[in-house]
């Protein structure tokens, strides 16, 4: 019998036991709902949720600050961001948030695509000739600001395979230090493999497509081809 024990990026003082058993457990979630006394969040639960999300949206989550992922000054104002990204609000702007392709357990989370790299390349291929759509690919900041920074990132691997990016495709590099939450108002469609960001976008009424197995898979929150 195999067990896992690992730290959690959500709270450095806690650990996860058998994380992958919990990660995709729809039955566990449904049983939790069944035995809850309250059908809506209590005041205490709501305050905890607001604090958790508030820390993440502001860039003050422990993992963000510890790894220096984002820039929390006023450089990410709307007009400056639009100029930096060359964003055209008259087009449909699709934002793809790529995962760390080498992250633990990622090989078991595929659904529509088996792996992150195949998904990113195929998405580019699908959209490359559509002049009414711009695709922005935001790579994970841990590609640069993590202990495994020596590994090739998604952008490098993709460019090695397709040589030249289509004119309607852009990468948002980790070095820009842009918080994904500052991009929400520009997103017509968010595309993810998996991750907490999907739930955060749904919370902010951003339409989401998930191509991998997420913790909320099959619950009717996102589009799951």
């Amino acid at each position: 019998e195999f067990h896992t024990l690992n730290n959690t990026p959500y709270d450095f003082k806690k650990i996860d036991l058998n994380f992958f058993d919990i990660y995709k457990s729809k039955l566990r979630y449904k049983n939790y709902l069944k035995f809850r006394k309250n059908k809506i969040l209590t005041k205490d639960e709501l305050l905890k949720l607001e604090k958790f999300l508030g820390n993440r949206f502001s860039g003050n989550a422990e993992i963000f600050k510890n790894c220096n992922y984002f820039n929390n000054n006023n450089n990410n104002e709307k007009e400056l961001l639009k100029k930096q990204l060359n964003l055209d609000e008259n087009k449909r702007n699709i934002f793809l948030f790529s995962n760390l392709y080498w992250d633990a357990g990622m090989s078991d989370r595929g659904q529509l695509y088996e792996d992150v790299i195949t998904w990113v390349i195929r998405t580019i291929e699908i959209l490359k000739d559509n002049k009414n759509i711009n695709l922005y690919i935001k790579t994970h900041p841990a590609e640069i600001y993590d202990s495994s920074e020596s590994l090739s990132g998604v952008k490098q691997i993709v460019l090695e395979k397709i040589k030249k990016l289509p004119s309607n495709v852009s990468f948002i590099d980790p070095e820009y230090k842009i918080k994904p939450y500052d991009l929400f108002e520009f997103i017509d469609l968010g595309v993810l493999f998996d991750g907490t960001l999907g739930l955060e976008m749904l919370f902010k009424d951003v339409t989401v497509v998930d191509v991998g197995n997420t913790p909320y898979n099959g619950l009717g929150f996102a589009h799951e081809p």
Side-chain angles (χ1 to χ4, degrees), residues 1-4 18 21:
E1 189 173 357
F2 180 74
H3 296 281
T4 63
N18 293 340
D21 290 339

Side-chain angles (χ1 to χ4, degrees), residues 1-6 15-25 28:
E1 189 173 357
F2 180 74
H3 296 281
T4 63
L5 191 69
N6 55 284
I15 59 171
D16 284 327
L17 177 64
N18 293 340
F19 171 75
F20 297 107
D21 290 339
I22 299 171
Y23 188 82
K24 295 186 292 185
S25 182
R28 181 188 183 98

